[in-house]
Amino acid sequence: MKTAALLFAFIIGFVAGELRGQNEPNLIPDVVDPAKLMPILPEAPEGWTAEKPEGASEDVGGFKITNVHRDYHKGESADSPRVSISILDSVASPDYVEVATAGWDKSSETPEGYAKPVTIDGNPGREDYEKEKKIASLWVMVAKRYFVTLELQNQDPKELQEWIKRVDLKRLAEIKK
């Protein structure tokens, strides 16, 4: 899950670099320090273990990105429930935000799973579920800059709603720099 979050952050930086013209000045605001985002990652609920949160700001493709991440697990077996929470500051690439969220209003359902738009505390989002793999994911856009991503393994997708409640989205929206 950590690899997916870091890969996502790299892709954003690459896309952001391609969207900006070669000779245009960089007028995009700076991303926040990861130390300001890490406290938003919740502690483990009772019966769960939380890994140490990780985070970094990096210059990728001429734009800075900040990504923080934390993994949680309940048990040690391969099929034990797992959760990953990431927060990505995408303020450096408003074009990417527009492109990434453009399809969030579309729904689909097949025997393999579903994808649907959601709203969490007034914030737009998208929920996906893959039945066979038992992987549920939730993306929420906060303050038109932060992507909050949750990925659950080996749990009922309804648990996404319980996990997102543990993330203080209002506090996150107030963090500017």
Side-chain angles (χ1 to χ4, degrees), residues 38-45 50-51 70 72 85 163 166-168:
M38 281 192 199
I40 303 296
L41 297 170
E43 293 300 321
E51 302 295 323
R70 192 169 200 181
Y72 307 80
I85 301 175
W163 277 95
R166 294 180 177 101
V167 179
D168 191 341

Side-chain angles (χ1 to χ4, degrees), residues 15-107:
V15 169
E18 294 298 315
L19 293 174
R20 187 176 56 138
Q22 286 183 344
N23 296 323
E24 292 180 20
N26 187 0
L27 302 175
I28 305 293
D30 288 333
V31 294
V32 300
D33 186 302
K36 291 184 177 182
L37 297 179
M38 281 192 199
I40 303 296
L41 297 170
E43 293 300 321
E46 189 173 328
W48 287 75
T49 302
E51 302 295 323
K52 182 180 175 186
E54 300 176 342
S57 290
E58 297 182 32
D59 189 348
V60 183
F63 287 91
K64 281 194 170 186
I65 58 170
T66 293
N67 187 46
V68 296
H69 177 86
R70 192 169 200 181
D71 287 328
Y72 307 80
H73 58 90
K74 186 175 185 178
E76 298 297 328
S77 68
D79 62 346
S80 65
R82 299 195 178 281
V83 176
S84 172
I85 301 175
S86 298
I87 302 171
L88 178 75
D89 184 357
S90 63
V91 73
S93 184
D95 292 333
Y96 175 76
V97 171
E98 186 176 326
V99 170
T101 60
W104 283 9
D105 60 344
K106 309 287 186 255
S107 294

Side-chain angles (χ1 to χ4, degrees), residues 151-168:
E151 183 178 286
L152 278 60
Q153 294 180 355
N154 301 316
Q155 295 179 70
D156 188 299
K158 292 177 185 174
E159 289 298 312
L160 285 168
Q161 298 304 315
E162 293 305 313
W163 277 95
I164 195 65
K165 289 177 188 175
R166 294 180 177 101
V167 179
D168 191 341

Side-chain angles (χ1 to χ4, degrees), residues 32-33 36-41 68 85-89 123 140-149 164 167-177:
V32 300
D33 186 302
K36 291 184 177 182
L37 297 179
M38 281 192 199
I40 303 296
L41 297 170
V68 296
I85 301 175
S86 298
I87 302 171
L88 178 75
D89 184 357
N123 300 295
V140 180
M141 173 54 60
V142 177
K144 297 182 181 180
R145 75 181 283 168
Y146 298 110
F147 281 100
V148 178
T149 309
I164 195 65
V167 179
D168 191 341
L169 299 179
K170 290 179 183 174
R171 186 171 154 208
L172 176 61
E174 294 170 357
I175 299 173
K176 301 295 181 201
K177 189 171 178 184

